[in-house]
Amino acid sequence: MAWTFDNPLRKLYQEPERILGSFVREGMTVADIGCGMGYFSVAMAKMIGPGGRVLSVDLQEKMLEHLKKRAVRARIQDRITTILAEPDDIKITGQVDFVLAFWMVHEVHDIPRFFGQVATILKPGGKVLYVEPRMHVTQKRFEEILGYAKDAGFAVNDYPKVGMSRSAVLERVQA
């Protein structure tokens, strides 16, 4: 199924630079949680330049292996660190400027824990782009998941348009 998410036609409705351009800048450390084969990771690695870092996280080693091959072909392998997560642990240590959670949170077993972990790795002023597929996640379920994010200390900053998706920009609320 992952192959369907990484075909060239995807750029027609989910163009990474348009979706991420206002969040990702040169020199940043960014996380792509649930990166799959790296559709967004590779694009972000180009956007952050040689001084930045992309932490690409997935539960499946096979997806990370595909991503590594794509990164080598794009000559940006030195900017991407792959992380094999566990179902209850994203396995990121340290701080990041931006987190992308694209079409994956609805599959997480413990969503409150997930947002709690994301809150601990996000630098002050950092943002999370949370995106779910319309065909799998109803508006009611999307709002329920946003409630878990709010409970973890996030506020909704915006609802950007992303093709075939429901999306929200999250920011940590200052204590």
Side-chain angles (χ1 to χ4, degrees), residues 42-83:
V42 169
M44 287 194 289
K46 293 175 183 176
M47 296 169 77
I48 51 102
R53 168 95 15 233
V54 177
L55 306 176
S56 299
V57 180
D58 205 275
L59 290 170
Q60 298 179 52
E61 183 69 40
K62 191 172 189 175
M63 294 293 133
L64 297 174
E65 291 303 320
H66 284 292
L67 167 55
K68 289 175 187 176
K69 291 174 187 173
R70 292 178 80 183
V72 168
R73 282 193 305 269
R75 298 181 186 193
I76 43 90
Q77 69 272 14
D78 58 326
R79 302 176 195 177
I80 296 177
T81 300
T82 58
I83 300 171

Side-chain angles (χ1 to χ4, degrees), residues 8-103:
L9 295 176
R10 186 173 183 188
K11 279 197 171 212
L12 296 175
Y13 60 94
Q14 292 178 344
E15 199 270 317
E17 291 77 12
R18 185 191 61 75
I19 293 169
L20 302 171
S22 62
F23 306 110
V24 178
R25 286 176 295 292
E26 201 161 313
M28 283 183 144
T29 298
V30 301
D32 184 2
I33 302 176
C35 65
M37 296 187 331
Y39 180 75
F40 288 104
S41 289
V42 169
M44 287 194 289
K46 293 175 183 176
M47 296 169 77
I48 51 102
R53 168 95 15 233
V54 177
L55 306 176
S56 299
V57 180
D58 205 275
L59 290 170
Q60 298 179 52
E61 183 69 40
K62 191 172 189 175
M63 294 293 133
L64 297 174
E65 291 303 320
H66 284 292
L67 167 55
K68 289 175 187 176
K69 291 174 187 173
R70 292 178 80 183
V72 168
R73 282 193 305 269
R75 298 181 186 193
I76 43 90
Q77 69 272 14
D78 58 326
R79 302 176 195 177
I80 296 177
T81 300
T82 58
I83 300 171
L84 183 62
E86 295 178 9
D88 64 345
D89 190 350
I90 60 176
K91 296 284 188 180
I92 295 176
T93 57
Q95 299 280 285
V96 300
D97 300 292
F98 172 75
V99 172
L100 177 64
F102 200 97
W103 285 23

Side-chain angles (χ1 to χ4, degrees), residues 2 5 11 13 33 45-46 50 61 80 85 90 97 110-111 131-132 136 140 142 146 161 165 174:
F5 295 129
K11 279 197 171 212
Y13 60 94
I33 302 176
K46 293 175 183 176
E61 183 69 40
I80 296 177
I90 60 176
D97 300 292
D110 189 344
I111 294 172
V131 184
E132 293 286 20
H136 291 298
K140 181 179 177 183
F142 184 73
L146 284 176
K161 292 189 185 295
S165 305
Q174 298 300 321

